[in-house]
Amino acid sequence: MIIRGDEPEQLRLLRKLYKPGNYFMQGNEAVAYGALFAGCRFYAGYPITPSSEIAETMARELPKLGGYYLQMEDEIGSIAAMVGASWTGFKVMTATAGPGFSLMQENLGYAVMTETPLVLVDVQRSGPSTGQATKGAQGDFFQARWGTHGDHPIVAVSPTSGQDAFWETIRAFNISERLRTPVVVLFDGVLAHTREQIKIPDVSEVEITYRKLPQNEEEARLPFGDPHGDGVPPMPLFGHGYFTHVTGSTHKETGLRDVYTPEVHDRLVRRIHRKIEKNREVYEKYEEHFTDDAEILVVSWGVTARPALGAVLRAREEGINVGLFVPKTVHPFPAERMRELAKKARAVLVAEMNLGQMIIEVERYVNDDVLLKGVNKIGGVPLTVEEILREIRGVA
Amino acid sequence: MAKKIYSTYPMVKYLRKEALPTALCPGCGGGTVLNAFANAVDQLKLDPKDLVVVSGIGCSAWIASPYFLADTLHTTHGRAIAFATGVKVGLPDKKVVVISGDGDLASIGGNHLLHAARRNIDITVILVNNFIYGMTGGQVAPTTPFGAKTTTSPYRNIEHPLQISETVAAAGASYVARWTTAHVYQLIESIKKALQVKGFSLVEVISQCPVQYGRRNRMKEPAEMLRWFLKNSVPVSKAKDMSPEELEGKFVIGEIVNRTRPEFTTELNKLIDEVQEHFGLKEE
């Protein structure tokens, strides 16, 4: 049984089409190439600024690789088609921005409940509502976490540069396949449209993961069981004669609906949570700079992590003991490491392009005697090194 | 009784026994639709392994998922056709069938219905039209006849019903037919045709809901509703010469459209071939 994208033929095509080397490209293009290298061969989407170049790149490149680009009638249809295609074995992706992300939330929950691997790139733009449609922001931190209804886990990663976007997109696919769960890539309009040097590696340097398939009839009959004890059931794909039943309603291990037995719901939803909680090593990732002796800790994510690093470097030159902590996987939050670092610091600054979102998550891990302060900016223009530096000096 | 059905009813081999008995109300037309679909599959000698059945939310969405024994995808409200689109692209050689209701496919899902027809993707949609939101308690639907009473149009419905088949035909489907649950043999023949058509096909089935629609509109018994269908059905050929006034409250039955148009997944794969050829990517 072949998951599409796994064949040597695909590696031959990737090698032939994309020579390793340095390219000058947009962050959005880097996301698209990351997806292609990760084995994504199905894209369904609806154009929306500032994510459109991802769709455009996929529409241009996917047919060359024998893959499928579908422009659906709306965002709801896009994520629906992705779920359908994922159950036939494709690695699937879509890209959208704030309003489209809101529309996708119901089916994102469906993908969580049915344990369907998919990658959803949210190129965050200014809001609420249409806001500044063409401008970047970091206002969807909690929409990614709590946008869909019910008790559900989510994994979200957030790249800090164009180059990072290439690798983080690949990582998003690997997490999604490994844990049979949707993964959100929280990108932003600033990096999406920034052109910079991006290194495309040889395919041999890219590690890719494929979803677990049933090894026998018995495993195939339990598409929502836990035969291996890791909380991740093997996924019996459509078209292989397993007669699999998939529903977003509460279901038993067999897939059959049972919405009346409290234990069935409890068992299912707790396992879906456990699968994410217990497999932190699959997705937990953060970056640290000068944290060993940091009395002041800057925490930042996504696009803002770059000026934050600039500010920390400048402050260090001034003799301020400041460090930087950048969660790369923002949900679930790297709680343990955050707690350790916060214990050593007397001040924690959280820099982000919103009025304070990740700071609410950080607050949970910081003791009351630590000065916690947000460095926030909205209006579509990213925080500058100078602006963050000023705040560091203020608490130094 | 149930035991007897399991041992003697020939179509039971197509059903997921562990999911039976069905949750459908006594007198519901859903059973007739499931029966007609199973018979169509049987007569065409289709292997259920070559079928994927997709449905949305509502009573009619349950007709085939979970009861039909195939790969079945029970999706969110209104989105069945969009989910099915992804399935069809992934499995172009399988028969992808959507069975769901009027509220699901034509109301909240109306946009997907139109665009799938426009794309002419090879999906067969069996749309069960019972004029009402049955599962949520009998509220007015975009298909509820003018003047009818429902829980949210307690005095009378002042909106005009959507003519689903005509709309889908206009949007570009390859095959569209409409029957009622009182026309079972014709219905089976149309489902067979729809399954064989290469392109988007819709079979609209006017179906009785005595519990939520009938009893509020002076048709408490299922048989009364079936008699209503028979009395008011007009064949397509005859309807052509009738005025809109004469057609008010009538059910136009038969094949609305049957034509050949380029199909989406075929075109998509053709395009990929051309692109790979153009860029010299085919294996030498």
Side-chain angles (χ1 to χ4, degrees):
Chain A
M1 199 180 310
I2 293 164
I3 300 255
R4 292 114 198 269
D6 196 15
E7 305 91 346
E9 164 72 357
Q10 285 296 331
L11 298 182
R12 180 187 76 82
L13 286 174
L14 284 170
R15 274 215 173 85
K16 187 158 181 182
L17 281 165
Y18 314 117
K19 300 273 177 264
N22 291 320
Y23 293 84
F24 188 59
M25 63 168 86
Q26 271 191 356
N28 272 344
E29 292 172 278
V31 167
Y33 287 110
L36 297 173
F37 272 69
C40 173
R41 294 295 174 270
F42 183 95
Y43 181 101
Y46 187 79
I48 180 168
T49 307
S51 76
S52 302
E53 293 84 1
I54 299 178
E56 287 164 4
T57 308
M58 295 305 265
R60 191 182 66 228
E61 299 302 320
L62 271 173
K64 298 180 190 169
L65 291 155
Y68 299 89
Y69 172 86
L70 262 70
Q71 191 154 310
M72 294 297 287
E73 48 275 10
D74 57 28
E75 284 89 350
I76 302 172
S78 304
I79 181 165
M82 282 163 75
V83 172
S86 186
W87 276 92
T88 72
F90 277 118
K91 289 188 178 184
V92 300
M93 183 174 87
T94 194
T96 187
F101 192 35
S102 301
L103 290 175
M104 290 182 183
Q105 291 295 341
E106 185 195 11
N107 282 339
L108 182 61
Y110 182 91
V112 170
M113 191 63 154
T114 56
E115 301 178 69
T116 306
L118 62 84
V119 173
L120 195 171
V121 183
D122 171 28
V123 184
Q124 296 168 94
R125 71 184 213 186
S126 180
S129 190
T130 321
Q132 303 162 285
T134 58
K135 305 286 186 187
Q138 289 181 285
D140 300 348
F141 182 78
F142 283 116
Q143 193 187 180
R145 179 64 194 91
W146 296 112
T148 194
H149 61 281
D151 292 306
H152 63 88
I154 200 79
V155 178
V157 305
S158 188
T160 55
S161 68
Q163 182 72 67
D164 202 31
F166 176 84
W167 289 108
E168 286 297 291
T169 305
I170 293 171
R171 203 167 70 87
F173 273 98
N174 288 345
I175 298 166
S176 174
E177 293 285 317
R178 171 75 181 75
L179 297 181
R180 220 184 116 179
T181 194
V183 173
V184 177
V185 179
L186 280 175
F187 204 37
D188 65 84
V190 181
L191 293 177
H193 284 166
T194 301
R195 285 185 183 276
E196 53 188 333
Q197 178 175 290
I198 285 157
K199 184 175 181 262
I200 296 293
D202 185 74
V203 285
S204 60
E205 293 167 52
V206 181
E207 208 181 295
I208 46 178
T209 307
Y210 294 96
R211 68 193 69 169
K212 206 194 289 178
L213 301 175
Q215 296 306 307
N216 49 52
E217 284 292 320
E218 200 181 330
E219 282 191 3
R221 271 197 299 273
L222 297 173
F224 304 93
D226 185 10
H228 306 140
D230 57 354
V232 189
M235 187 169 176
L237 302 177
F238 283 175
H240 294 274
Y242 295 131
F243 296 151
T244 305
H245 181 54
V246 180
T247 175
S249 298
T250 295
H251 42 272
K252 295 181 274 199
E253 284 76 0
T254 56
L256 278 184
R257 190 172 179 279
D258 179 353
V259 301
Y260 302 108
T261 317
E263 293 75 24
V264 170
H265 184 78
D266 188 281
R267 195 161 67 232
L268 170 66
V269 178
R270 280 185 199 275
R271 179 181 56 73
I272 292 175
H273 274 268
R274 195 172 64 237
K275 154 175 105 168
I276 304 301
E277 279 159 24
K278 298 286 180 199
N279 288 294
R280 275 193 178 256
E281 75 282 357
V282 175
Y283 55 80
E284 187 154 277
K285 192 179 171 191
Y286 45 79
E287 220 175 83
E288 291 183 33
H289 302 274
F290 313 107
T291 47
D292 289 348
D293 60 346
E295 291 167 14
I296 301 165
L297 185 70
V298 178
V299 182
S300 194
W301 61 291
V303 57
T304 313
R306 287 171 83 175
L309 179 59
V312 166
L313 288 169
R314 291 265 297 275
R316 279 268 159 188
E317 282 169 18
E318 294 175 14
I320 303 170
N321 278 354
V322 57
L324 176 66
F325 182 61
V326 182
K328 283 300 185 59
T329 301
V330 296
H331 298 300
F333 200 72
E336 202 178 320
R337 188 61 188 150
M338 182 68 235
R339 205 175 275 126
E340 281 167 16
L341 292 173
K343 245 184 237 166
K344 297 191 291 184
R346 58 178 177 79
V348 175
L349 300 177
V350 182
E352 45 186 341
M353 274 177 84
N354 57 43
L355 290 181
Q357 297 200 8
M358 187 188 266
I359 193 170
I360 298 169
E361 182 70 33
V362 171
E363 193 178 7
R364 306 203 289 149
Y365 312 108
V366 177
N367 290 333
D368 285 350
D369 56 346
V370 175
L371 173 72
L372 179 65
K373 195 163 184 266
V375 184
N376 308 101
K377 185 174 177 182
I378 54 172
V381 183
L383 276 157
T384 62
V385 170
E386 207 47 58
E387 283 164 337
I388 300 171
L389 181 61
R390 202 182 307 143
E391 296 295 327
I392 295 172
R393 283 186 195 134
V395 295
Chain B
M1 182 65 189
K3 208 171 176 185
K4 195 176 159 206
I5 289 171
Y6 296 157
S7 57
T8 59
Y9 179 58
M11 294 301 122
V12 82
K13 63 186 173 193
Y14 295 109
L15 303 185
R16 222 177 227 121
K17 287 198 191 69
E18 64 273 29
L20 297 175
T22 73
L24 304 173
C25 303
C28 171
T32 307
V33 177
L34 179 54
N35 190 354
F37 178 58
N39 271 282
V41 168
D42 195 62
Q43 289 177 25
L44 290 176
K45 296 188 168 55
L46 292 178
D47 186 342
K49 287 182 177 170
D50 294 328
L51 280 171
V52 180
V53 188
V54 185
S55 70
I57 296 294
C59 319
S60 305
W62 285 16
I63 291 172
S65 71
Y67 305 120
F68 199 85
L69 187 60
D71 286 328
T72 42
L73 186 61
H74 178 227
T75 69
T76 47
H77 192 31
R79 316 301 167 196
I81 291 174
F83 280 81
T85 299
V87 173
K88 183 67 193 182
V89 171
L91 298 170
D93 300 330
K94 305 282 181 191
K95 301 268 184 210
V96 179
V97 183
V98 172
I99 305 181
S100 218
D102 50 321
D104 187 66
L105 293 171
S107 181
I108 180 172
N111 201 30
H112 306 301
L113 180 65
L114 290 186
H115 288 280
R118 169 182 69 81
R119 240 171 238 133
N120 201 31
I121 185 165
D122 185 22
I123 292 171
T124 298
V125 176
I126 300 173
L127 189 154
V128 186
N129 182 358
N130 61 6
F131 319 117
I132 197 102
Y133 287 92
M135 195 175 273
T136 37
Q139 296 83 10
V140 73
T143 43
T144 304
F146 188 81
K149 286 182 180 170
T150 74
T151 58
T152 50
S153 59
Y155 307 111
R156 64 186 169 89
N157 178 26
I158 54 163
E159 296 182 18
H160 302 278
L162 178 70
Q163 299 300 323
I164 295 169
S165 287
E166 287 74 6
T167 307
V168 172
S174 274
Y175 181 86
V176 178
R178 184 195 280 121
W179 296 104
T180 80
T181 45
H183 300 86
V184 180
Y185 292 98
Q186 296 93 324
L187 175 61
I188 295 172
E189 289 308 314
S190 270
I191 295 175
K192 279 160 66 181
K193 273 194 192 169
L195 285 166
Q196 288 168 294
V197 160
K198 187 80 188 157
F200 190 81
S201 53
L202 171 85
V203 180
E204 180 185 350
V205 194
I206 307 284
S207 176
Q208 75 275 17
C209 176
V211 174
Q212 300 291 13
Y213 186 85
R215 77 183 150 114
R216 294 194 178 92
N217 292 282
R218 296 166 186 273
M219 288 174 286
K220 228 161 141 183
E221 299 294 325
E224 288 175 74
M225 295 201 78
L226 291 172
R227 276 195 291 274
W228 172 44
F229 295 162
L230 286 172
K231 200 174 150 208
N232 290 288
S233 291
V234 178
V236 180
S237 51
K238 201 174 156 198
K240 273 185 195 132
D241 306 322
M242 289 167 72
S243 68
E245 291 74 36
E246 287 172 311
L247 281 170
E248 183 73 39
K250 298 278 188 275
F251 311 115
V252 177
I253 53 166
E255 277 181 14
I256 313 281
V257 108
N258 188 357
R259 60 189 165 200
T260 310
R261 285 182 70 218
E263 191 272 327
F264 179 71
T265 56
T266 315
E267 292 300 312
L268 192 55
N269 282 298
K270 215 159 61 175
L271 178 86
I272 290 169
D273 272 355
E274 284 167 18
V275 170
Q276 290 195 319
E277 189 81 41
H278 174 80
F279 286 99
L281 295 163
K282 295 261 181 205
E283 195 124 41
E284 289 86 20

